[in-house]
């Protein structure tokens, strides 16, 4: 049996608010294999954003272990976590998070600067992923010259540029109309077919339906974890 890409054991996350402790995650156990396509769902306050932050190494748990690609990231310091994030995880956000006065090509190449690639390597790889998301003709455009769907494609290209183990998408269609949402979800399907592990956080059933496995959280625990029969 191959080792899971993600192995989470009894993860808890508490936050201190004033004199009160808020128990957000109450003992999560989860395994995700390389190449899976998973949707995380749950109502507001269910803990899905907290779990996503932990999966994305943006936060560390109060207790429990998180093994990512064979490394225990639950005990790592900020610098080590930043390195793991840059190498292992490609983020796609609802608000795109692009630099406004920078071309699509420069936005996509940005994570490669932190990873220490040369300018020629950055340009070559960023061009390659922009072609992959069908934006070869928009490389020199700035975000304000692009539609919402095109901006999200730039964000997806940026997430792919360092060849991460995981693409982590937080409400990636939240700011898009229905037609554009379908185009973006079809693109995630292609990325998954190319071998990427995709983890999608959404509150929309029709977006979760694109995933092959749906994990539902409620009150800080996993309520259900089911294979999606429709895919």
């Amino acid at each position: 049996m191959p080792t899971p890409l993600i192995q989470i054991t009894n993860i808890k996350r508490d936050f201190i608010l004033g004199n009160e402790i808020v128990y957000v995650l109450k003992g999560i156990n989860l395994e995700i294999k390389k190449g899976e396509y998973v949707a995380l769902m749950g109502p507001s306050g269910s803990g899905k954003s907290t779990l996503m932050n932990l999966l994305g190494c943006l936060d560390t748990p109060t207790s429990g272990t998180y093994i990512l690609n064979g490394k225990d990231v639950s005990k790592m310091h900020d610098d080590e976590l930043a390195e793991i994030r840059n190498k292992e995880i490609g983020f796609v956000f609802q608000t795109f998070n692009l630099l406004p006065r920078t071309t699509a090509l420069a936005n996509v190449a940005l994570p490669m600067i932190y990873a220490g690639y040369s300018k020629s390597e950055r340009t070559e790889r960023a061009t390659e992923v922009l072609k992959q998301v069908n934006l070869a003709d928009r490389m020199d455009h700035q975000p304000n010259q692009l539609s919402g769907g095109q901006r999200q494609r730039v964000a997806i290209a940026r997430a792919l540029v360092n060849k991460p183990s995981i693409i982590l998408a937080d409400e990636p269609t939240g700011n898009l109309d229905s037609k554009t949402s379908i185009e973006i979800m079809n693109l995630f399907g292609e990325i998954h077919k190319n071998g990427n592990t995709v983890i999608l956080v959404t509150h929309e059933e029709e977006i979760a339906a694109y995933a092959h496995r749906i994990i539902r959280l409620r009150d800080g625990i996993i309520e259900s974890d089911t294979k999606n029969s429709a895919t």
Side-chain angles (χ1 to χ4, degrees):
M1 276 287 285
T3 314
L5 178 61
I6 286 174
Q7 216 166 358
I8 278 183
T9 312
N10 201 24
I11 284 274
K12 295 181 179 174
R13 185 68 175 98
D14 315 334
F15 294 94
I16 295 167
L17 289 178
N19 300 325
E20 197 185 345
I21 298 176
V22 181
Y23 301 98
V24 179
L25 297 178
K26 303 168 185 170
I28 299 274
N29 293 293
L30 180 61
E31 285 189 357
I32 296 175
K33 296 186 193 72
K34 187 178 185 310
E36 280 201 88
Y37 189 167
V38 179
L40 279 181
M41 295 199 76
S44 218
S46 61
K48 69 178 185 297
S49 298
T50 302
L51 180 58
M52 192 204 73
N53 287 339
L54 291 171
L55 289 171
C57 298
L58 296 163
D59 189 18
T60 48
T62 305
S63 62
T65 53
Y66 174 16
I67 311 291
L68 170 59
N69 225 355
K71 300 185 190 85
D72 185 350
V73 295
S74 43
K75 311 284 187 293
M76 283 186 180
H77 300 297
D78 288 351
D79 293 356
E80 298 169 295
L81 286 172
E83 195 174 327
I84 290 279
R85 280 197 302 273
N86 199 36
K87 286 185 179 158
E88 300 278 5
I89 301 156
F91 293 95
V92 180
F93 299 98
Q94 177 177 347
T95 50
F96 321 134
N97 287 16
L98 300 175
L99 297 175
R101 282 178 286 284
T102 308
T103 64
L105 188 70
N107 265 292
V108 170
L110 194 62
M112 297 185 77
I113 294 175
Y114 302 123
Y117 289 95
S118 70
K119 186 158 196 318
S120 61
E121 286 172 318
R122 297 196 303 262
T123 303
E124 186 183 341
R125 174 67 183 150
T127 303
E128 187 186 319
V129 285
L130 278 164
K131 283 179 182 164
Q132 194 183 330
V133 301
N134 300 323
L135 281 181
D137 57 341
R138 293 283 187 276
M139 286 196 262
D140 296 328
H141 288 55
Q142 293 181 359
N144 64 357
Q145 299 169 303
L146 300 171
S147 68
Q150 288 169 335
R151 278 182 235 173
Q152 194 57 296
R153 283 172 187 271
V154 173
I156 291 168
R158 181 185 55 193
L160 291 167
V161 79
N162 275 346
K163 301 182 180 170
S165 316
I166 299 163
I167 297 292
L168 195 55
D170 184 14
E171 302 279 3
T173 59
N175 280 344
L176 305 174
D177 62 48
S178 317
K179 180 177 174 289
T180 312
S181 296
I182 291 167
E183 287 168 12
I184 292 297
M185 292 316 298
N186 287 338
L187 181 56
F188 277 116
E190 284 167 36
I191 289 164
H192 173 251
K193 279 198 194 87
N194 289 337
N196 272 95
T197 306
V198 178
I199 301 173
L200 186 70
V201 178
T202 182
H203 66 280
E204 295 180 66
E205 294 288 346
E206 58 270 32
I207 296 300
Y210 285 87
H212 299 181
R213 177 181 171 195
I214 300 176
I215 297 167
R216 294 176 194 274
L217 278 91
R218 187 173 291 276
D219 301 328
I221 57 168
I222 291 176
E223 183 180 51
S224 66
D225 182 347
T226 52
K227 290 274 185 282
N228 184 3
S229 54
T231 52

CSV table of all heavy atoms in Angstrom, one decimal, residues 175-219:
chain,number,residue,atom,x,y,z
A,175,ASN,N,-16.6,34.1,-6.9
A,175,ASN,CA,-16.7,35.4,-7.5
A,175,ASN,C,-17.1,35.3,-9.0
A,175,ASN,O,-16.9,36.3,-9.7
A,175,ASN,CB,-15.5,36.2,-7.4
A,175,ASN,CG,-15.4,36.8,-6.0
A,175,ASN,OD1,-16.4,36.9,-5.3
A,175,ASN,ND2,-14.2,37.3,-5.6
A,176,LEU,N,-17.5,34.1,-9.5
A,176,LEU,CA,-17.7,33.9,-10.9
A,176,LEU,C,-19.1,33.6,-11.3
A,176,LEU,O,-19.8,33.0,-10.4
A,176,LEU,CB,-16.8,32.8,-11.4
A,176,LEU,CG,-15.3,32.9,-11.1
A,176,LEU,CD1,-14.5,31.7,-11.5
A,176,LEU,CD2,-14.7,34.2,-11.8
A,177,ASP,N,-19.6,34.0,-12.5
A,177,ASP,CA,-20.9,33.6,-12.9
A,177,ASP,C,-21.0,32.1,-13.2
A,177,ASP,O,-19.9,31.4,-13.3
A,177,ASP,CB,-21.4,34.4,-14.1
A,177,ASP,CG,-20.5,34.3,-15.3
A,177,ASP,OD1,-20.2,33.1,-15.7
A,177,ASP,OD2,-20.0,35.3,-15.9
A,178,SER,N,-22.2,31.6,-13.5
A,178,SER,CA,-22.3,30.1,-13.6
A,178,SER,C,-21.6,29.6,-14.8
A,178,SER,O,-20.9,28.5,-14.7
A,178,SER,CB,-23.8,29.8,-13.9
A,178,SER,OG,-24.6,30.5,-13.0
A,179,LYS,N,-21.6,30.3,-15.9
A,179,LYS,CA,-20.9,29.7,-17.1
A,179,LYS,C,-19.4,29.7,-16.9
A,179,LYS,O,-18.7,28.7,-17.2
A,179,LYS,CB,-21.2,30.7,-18.3
A,179,LYS,CG,-20.6,30.2,-19.6
A,179,LYS,CD,-21.0,31.2,-20.8
A,179,LYS,CE,-20.3,30.8,-22.1
A,179,LYS,NZ,-18.8,31.2,-22.0
A,180,THR,N,-18.9,30.7,-16.3
A,180,THR,CA,-17.4,30.8,-16.0
A,180,THR,C,-17.0,29.8,-15.0
A,180,THR,O,-16.0,29.1,-15.1
A,180,THR,CB,-17.0,32.2,-15.6
A,180,THR,OG1,-17.6,33.2,-16.5
A,180,THR,CG2,-15.5,32.4,-15.6
A,181,SER,N,-17.9,29.6,-14.0
A,181,SER,CA,-17.7,28.6,-13.0
A,181,SER,C,-17.5,27.2,-13.6
A,181,SER,O,-16.6,26.4,-13.2
A,181,SER,CB,-18.8,28.5,-12.0
A,181,SER,OG,-18.9,29.7,-11.3
A,182,ILE,N,-18.4,26.8,-14.5
A,182,ILE,CA,-18.3,25.5,-15.2
A,182,ILE,C,-17.0,25.4,-15.9
A,182,ILE,O,-16.3,24.4,-15.8
A,182,ILE,CB,-19.5,25.3,-16.2
A,182,ILE,CG1,-20.8,25.2,-15.3
A,182,ILE,CG2,-19.3,24.1,-17.1
A,182,ILE,CD1,-22.1,25.3,-16.1
A,183,GLU,N,-16.5,26.5,-16.6
A,183,GLU,CA,-15.2,26.4,-17.3
A,183,GLU,C,-14.1,26.2,-16.4
A,183,GLU,O,-13.2,25.4,-16.6
A,183,GLU,CB,-15.0,27.8,-18.1
A,183,GLU,CG,-15.9,28.0,-19.3
A,183,GLU,CD,-15.9,29.4,-19.8
A,183,GLU,OE1,-15.0,30.2,-19.4
A,183,GLU,OE2,-16.7,29.7,-20.7
A,184,ILE,N,-14.1,26.9,-15.2
A,184,ILE,CA,-13.0,26.8,-14.2
A,184,ILE,C,-13.0,25.4,-13.6
A,184,ILE,O,-12.0,24.7,-13.5
A,184,ILE,CB,-13.2,27.9,-13.1
A,184,ILE,CG1,-12.9,29.3,-13.7
A,184,ILE,CG2,-12.3,27.6,-11.9
A,184,ILE,CD1,-11.5,29.5,-14.3
A,185,MET,N,-14.2,24.8,-13.4
A,185,MET,CA,-14.3,23.5,-12.8
A,185,MET,C,-13.9,22.4,-13.8
A,185,MET,O,-13.2,21.4,-13.4
A,185,MET,CB,-15.7,23.2,-12.3
A,185,MET,CG,-16.1,24.0,-11.1
A,185,MET,SD,-14.8,24.2,-9.8
A,185,MET,CE,-14.7,22.5,-9.3
A,186,ASN,N,-14.1,22.6,-15.1
A,186,ASN,CA,-13.6,21.7,-16.1
A,186,ASN,C,-12.1,21.8,-16.2
A,186,ASN,O,-11.5,20.7,-16.4
A,186,ASN,CB,-14.2,22.1,-17.5
A,186,ASN,CG,-15.7,21.7,-17.6
A,186,ASN,OD1,-16.2,20.8,-16.8
A,186,ASN,ND2,-16.4,22.3,-18.5
A,187,LEU,N,-11.5,23.0,-15.9
A,187,LEU,CA,-10.1,23.1,-15.9
A,187,LEU,C,-9.5,22.3,-14.7
A,187,LEU,O,-8.5,21.6,-14.9
A,187,LEU,CB,-9.7,24.6,-15.8
A,187,LEU,CG,-8.2,25.0,-15.8
A,187,LEU,CD1,-7.5,24.4,-17.0
A,187,LEU,CD2,-8.1,26.5,-15.7
A,188,PHE,N,-10.1,22.4,-13.5
A,188,PHE,CA,-9.7,21.6,-12.4
A,188,PHE,C,-9.7,20.1,-12.7
A,188,PHE,O,-8.9,19.4,-12.3
A,188,PHE,CB,-10.5,21.9,-11.1
A,188,PHE,CG,-10.1,23.1,-10.4
A,188,PHE,CD1,-10.9,24.2,-10.3
A,188,PHE,CD2,-8.8,23.2,-9.8
A,188,PHE,CE1,-10.5,25.4,-9.6
A,188,PHE,CE2,-8.4,24.3,-9.1
A,188,PHE,CZ,-9.3,25.4,-9.0
A,189,GLY,N,-10.8,19.7,-13.5
A,189,GLY,CA,-10.9,18.3,-13.9
A,189,GLY,C,-9.7,17.9,-14.7
A,189,GLY,O,-9.1,16.8,-14.5
A,190,GLU,N,-9.3,18.8,-15.6
A,190,GLU,CA,-8.1,18.5,-16.5
A,190,GLU,C,-6.8,18.4,-15.6
A,190,GLU,O,-6.0,17.5,-15.9
A,190,GLU,CB,-7.9,19.6,-17.5
A,190,GLU,CG,-8.9,19.5,-18.7
A,190,GLU,CD,-8.9,20.8,-19.5
A,190,GLU,OE1,-7.8,21.4,-19.7
A,190,GLU,OE2,-10.0,21.2,-20.0
A,191,ILE,N,-6.7,19.3,-14.7
A,191,ILE,CA,-5.5,19.4,-13.8
A,191,ILE,C,-5.4,18.0,-13.0
A,191,ILE,O,-4.4,17.4,-12.9
A,191,ILE,CB,-5.6,20.6,-12.9
A,191,ILE,CG1,-5.3,21.9,-13.7
A,191,ILE,CG2,-4.6,20.5,-11.7
A,191,ILE,CD1,-5.7,23.1,-13.0
A,192,HIS,N,-6.6,17.6,-12.5
A,192,HIS,CA,-6.6,16.3,-11.8
A,192,HIS,C,-6.2,15.2,-12.7
A,192,HIS,O,-5.5,14.3,-12.3
A,192,HIS,CB,-8.1,16.1,-11.2
A,192,HIS,CG,-8.2,14.8,-10.6
A,192,HIS,ND1,-9.0,13.8,-11.1
A,192,HIS,CD2,-7.7,14.3,-9.5
A,192,HIS,CE1,-8.9,12.7,-10.4
A,192,HIS,NE2,-8.1,13.0,-9.4
A,193,LYS,N,-6.8,15.2,-13.9
A,193,LYS,CA,-6.4,14.1,-14.9
A,193,LYS,C,-4.9,14.1,-15.2
A,193,LYS,O,-4.3,13.0,-15.4
A,193,LYS,CB,-7.1,14.3,-16.2
A,193,LYS,CG,-8.6,13.8,-16.2
A,193,LYS,CD,-9.1,13.6,-17.6
A,193,LYS,CE,-10.6,13.4,-17.6
A,193,LYS,NZ,-11.4,14.7,-17.7
A,194,ASN,N,-4.3,15.2,-15.1
A,194,ASN,CA,-2.8,15.3,-15.3
A,194,ASN,C,-2.0,14.8,-14.1
A,194,ASN,O,-0.8,14.8,-14.2
A,194,ASN,CB,-2.4,16.7,-15.6
A,194,ASN,CG,-2.9,17.2,-17.0
A,194,ASN,OD1,-3.1,16.4,-17.9
A,194,ASN,ND2,-3.0,18.5,-17.2
A,195,GLY,N,-2.7,14.4,-13.1
A,195,GLY,CA,-2.0,13.7,-12.0
A,195,GLY,C,-1.9,14.5,-10.7
A,195,GLY,O,-1.3,14.1,-9.7
A,196,ASN,N,-2.5,15.8,-10.7
A,196,ASN,CA,-2.5,16.6,-9.4
A,196,ASN,C,-3.5,16.1,-8.4
A,196,ASN,O,-4.6,15.7,-8.8
A,196,ASN,CB,-2.7,18.0,-9.7
A,196,ASN,CG,-1.5,18.8,-10.1
A,196,ASN,OD1,-1.2,19.0,-11.2
A,196,ASN,ND2,-0.8,19.2,-9.1
A,197,THR,N,-3.2,16.2,-7.2
A,197,THR,CA,-4.2,16.0,-6.1
A,197,THR,C,-4.9,17.3,-5.9
A,197,THR,O,-4.2,18.4,-5.8
A,197,THR,CB,-3.4,15.6,-4.8
A,197,THR,OG1,-2.6,14.5,-5.1
A,197,THR,CG2,-4.4,15.3,-3.7
A,198,VAL,N,-6.2,17.3,-6.0
A,198,VAL,CA,-7.0,18.6,-5.9
A,198,VAL,C,-7.9,18.5,-4.6
A,198,VAL,O,-8.6,17.5,-4.4
A,198,VAL,CB,-7.8,18.8,-7.1
A,198,VAL,CG1,-8.7,20.1,-7.0
A,198,VAL,CG2,-7.0,18.9,-8.4
A,199,ILE,N,-7.8,19.5,-3.8
A,199,ILE,CA,-8.6,19.6,-2.6
A,199,ILE,C,-9.4,21.0,-2.7
A,199,ILE,O,-8.8,22.0,-2.8
A,199,ILE,CB,-7.8,19.6,-1.3
A,199,ILE,CG1,-7.1,18.3,-1.2
A,199,ILE,CG2,-8.8,19.8,-0.1
A,199,ILE,CD1,-6.1,18.3,0.0
A,200,LEU,N,-10.7,20.9,-2.7
A,200,LEU,CA,-11.6,22.0,-3.0
A,200,LEU,C,-12.4,22.3,-1.8
A,200,LEU,O,-13.0,21.4,-1.2
A,200,LEU,CB,-12.5,21.5,-4.2
A,200,LEU,CG,-13.4,22.4,-4.9
A,200,LEU,CD1,-12.7,23.4,-5.7
A,200,LEU,CD2,-14.3,21.5,-5.8
A,201,VAL,N,-12.4,23.5,-1.4
A,201,VAL,CA,-13.3,23.9,-0.2
A,201,VAL,C,-14.4,24.7,-0.8
A,201,VAL,O,-14.2,25.7,-1.5
A,201,VAL,CB,-12.5,24.8,0.8
A,201,VAL,CG1,-13.4,25.2,1.9
A,201,VAL,CG2,-11.3,24.0,1.3
A,202,THR,N,-15.7,24.2,-0.6
A,202,THR,CA,-16.8,24.9,-1.2
A,202,THR,C,-18.0,24.7,-0.3
A,202,THR,O,-18.1,23.7,0.5
A,202,THR,CB,-17.1,24.4,-2.6
A,202,THR,OG1,-18.2,25.1,-3.1
A,202,THR,CG2,-17.4,22.9,-2.6
A,203,HIS,N,-19.0,25.6,-0.4
A,203,HIS,CA,-20.3,25.4,0.3
A,203,HIS,C,-21.4,25.1,-0.7
A,203,HIS,O,-22.5,24.9,-0.4
A,203,HIS,CB,-20.7,26.6,1.1
A,203,HIS,CG,-21.0,27.9,0.3
A,203,HIS,ND1,-20.0,28.7,-0.2
A,203,HIS,CD2,-22.1,28.4,-0.1
A,203,HIS,CE1,-20.5,29.6,-0.9
A,203,HIS,NE2,-21.8,29.5,-0.9
A,204,GLU,N,-21.0,25.0,-2.0
A,204,GLU,CA,-21.9,24.8,-3.1
A,204,GLU,C,-22.0,23.3,-3.5
A,204,GLU,O,-20.9,22.8,-4.0
A,204,GLU,CB,-21.6,25.7,-4.3
A,204,GLU,CG,-21.7,27.2,-4.0
A,204,GLU,CD,-21.4,28.0,-5.3
A,204,GLU,OE1,-22.1,27.9,-6.2
A,204,GLU,OE2,-20.3,28.7,-5.2
A,205,GLU,N,-23.1,22.7,-3.4
A,205,GLU,CA,-23.3,21.3,-3.8
A,205,GLU,C,-22.9,21.0,-5.2
A,205,GLU,O,-22.2,20.0,-5.5
A,205,GLU,CB,-24.7,20.8,-3.5
A,205,GLU,CG,-25.1,20.8,-2.1
A,205,GLU,CD,-24.5,19.7,-1.2
A,205,GLU,OE1,-23.9,18.8,-1.8
A,205,GLU,OE2,-24.6,19.8,0.0
A,206,GLU,N,-23.3,22.0,-6.1
A,206,GLU,CA,-23.0,21.7,-7.6
A,206,GLU,C,-21.5,21.8,-7.9
A,206,GLU,O,-21.0,21.2,-8.8
A,206,GLU,CB,-23.8,22.6,-8.5
A,206,GLU,CG,-23.6,24.1,-8.3
A,206,GLU,CD,-24.6,24.7,-7.3
A,206,GLU,OE1,-25.0,24.1,-6.3
A,206,GLU,OE2,-24.9,25.9,-7.5
A,207,ILE,N,-20.8,22.6,-7.1
A,207,ILE,CA,-19.3,22.6,-7.3
A,207,ILE,C,-18.6,21.4,-6.7
A,207,ILE,O,-17.8,20.7,-7.3
A,207,ILE,CB,-18.7,23.9,-6.6
A,207,ILE,CG1,-19.3,25.2,-7.4
A,207,ILE,CG2,-17.2,23.9,-6.7
A,207,ILE,CD1,-19.0,25.3,-8.8
A,208,ALA,N,-19.1,21.0,-5.5
A,208,ALA,CA,-18.6,19.8,-4.8
A,208,ALA,C,-18.8,18.5,-5.7
A,208,ALA,O,-18.0,17.6,-5.7
A,208,ALA,CB,-19.2,19.6,-3.5
A,209,ALA,N,-19.9,18.6,-6.5
A,209,ALA,CA,-20.2,17.4,-7.3
A,209,ALA,C,-19.1,17.1,-8.4
A,209,ALA,O,-19.1,15.9,-8.9
A,209,ALA,CB,-21.5,17.7,-8.1
A,210,TYR,N,-18.2,18.0,-8.6
A,210,TYR,CA,-17.1,17.7,-9.6
A,210,TYR,C,-16.1,16.8,-8.9
A,210,TYR,O,-15.3,16.2,-9.6
A,210,TYR,CB,-16.5,19.0,-10.0
A,210,TYR,CG,-17.3,19.8,-11.0
A,210,TYR,CD1,-18.2,20.7,-10.6
A,210,TYR,CD2,-17.1,19.7,-12.4
A,210,TYR,CE1,-19.0,21.5,-11.5
A,210,TYR,CE2,-17.8,20.4,-13.3
A,210,TYR,CZ,-18.7,21.3,-12.9
A,210,TYR,OH,-19.5,22.0,-13.8
A,211,ALA,N,-16.0,16.8,-7.6
A,211,ALA,CA,-15.0,16.0,-6.9
A,211,ALA,C,-15.4,14.6,-6.9
A,211,ALA,O,-16.5,14.2,-7.1
A,211,ALA,CB,-14.8,16.6,-5.5
A,212,HIS,N,-14.4,13.7,-6.6
A,212,HIS,CA,-14.6,12.3,-6.6
A,212,HIS,C,-14.9,11.8,-5.1
A,212,HIS,O,-15.4,10.7,-4.9
A,212,HIS,CB,-13.4,11.5,-7.1
A,212,HIS,CG,-13.2,11.9,-8.6
A,212,HIS,ND1,-12.1,11.3,-9.3
A,212,HIS,CD2,-13.8,12.7,-9.4
A,212,HIS,CE1,-12.1,11.8,-10.5
A,212,HIS,NE2,-13.1,12.7,-10.6
A,213,ARG,N,-14.7,12.7,-4.2
A,213,ARG,CA,-14.9,12.3,-2.8
A,213,ARG,C,-15.3,13.6,-2.0
A,213,ARG,O,-14.7,14.6,-2.3
A,213,ARG,CB,-13.5,11.8,-2.2
A,213,ARG,CG,-13.6,11.4,-0.7
A,213,ARG,CD,-12.2,10.9,-0.3
A,213,ARG,NE,-12.0,10.8,1.1
A,213,ARG,CZ,-10.8,10.6,1.7
A,213,ARG,NH1,-9.7,10.7,1.0
A,213,ARG,NH2,-10.8,10.5,3.0
A,214,ILE,N,-16.3,13.4,-1.2
A,214,ILE,CA,-16.9,14.6,-0.5
A,214,ILE,C,-16.8,14.4,1.0
A,214,ILE,O,-17.3,13.4,1.5
A,214,ILE,CB,-18.3,14.9,-0.9
A,214,ILE,CG1,-18.4,15.2,-2.4
A,214,ILE,CG2,-18.9,16.1,-0.1
A,214,ILE,CD1,-19.8,15.4,-3.0
A,215,ILE,N,-16.0,15.3,1.7
A,215,ILE,CA,-15.9,15.2,3.1
A,215,ILE,C,-16.7,16.3,3.7
A,215,ILE,O,-16.5,17.5,3.4
A,215,ILE,CB,-14.4,15.3,3.5
A,215,ILE,CG1,-13.6,14.1,3.0
A,215,ILE,CG2,-14.3,15.3,5.1
A,215,ILE,CD1,-12.1,14.3,3.0
A,216,ARG,N,-17.6,16.0,4.6
A,216,ARG,CA,-18.5,17.0,5.2
A,216,ARG,C,-18.1,17.2,6.7
A,216,ARG,O,-18.1,16.2,7.4
A,216,ARG,CB,-20.0,16.6,5.1
A,216,ARG,CG,-20.5,16.6,3.7
A,216,ARG,CD,-21.9,16.1,3.5
A,216,ARG,NE,-22.2,15.8,2.2
A,216,ARG,CZ,-22.7,16.7,1.3
A,216,ARG,NH1,-22.9,17.9,1.6
A,216,ARG,NH2,-22.9,16.3,0.0
A,217,LEU,N,-17.9,18.4,7.1
A,217,LEU,CA,-17.6,18.7,8.5
A,217,LEU,C,-18.9,19.4,9.1
A,217,LEU,O,-19.6,20.0,8.5
A,217,LEU,CB,-16.5,19.7,8.6
A,217,LEU,CG,-15.1,19.0,8.5
A,217,LEU,CD1,-14.7,19.0,7.1
A,217,LEU,CD2,-14.1,19.8,9.3
A,218,ARG,N,-19.0,19.1,10.4
A,218,ARG,CA,-20.0,19.8,11.2
A,218,ARG,C,-19.5,19.8,12.7
A,218,ARG,O,-19.0,18.8,13.2
A,218,ARG,CB,-21.3,19.0,11.2
A,218,ARG,CG,-22.5,19.8,11.8
A,218,ARG,CD,-23.8,19.1,11.6
A,218,ARG,NE,-24.3,19.2,10.3
A,218,ARG,CZ,-24.9,20.2,9.7
A,218,ARG,NH1,-25.2,21.3,10.5
A,218,ARG,NH2,-25.3,20.2,8.5
A,219,ASP,N,-19.6,21.0,13.2
A,219,ASP,CA,-19.1,21.2,14.6
A,219,ASP,C,-17.8,20.6,14.9
A,219,ASP,O,-17.6,20.0,16.0
A,219,ASP,CB,-20.2,20.6,15.6
A,219,ASP,CG,-21.6,21.3,15.4
A,219,ASP,OD1,-21.6,22.5,15.1
A,219,ASP,OD2,-22.6,20.6,15.6
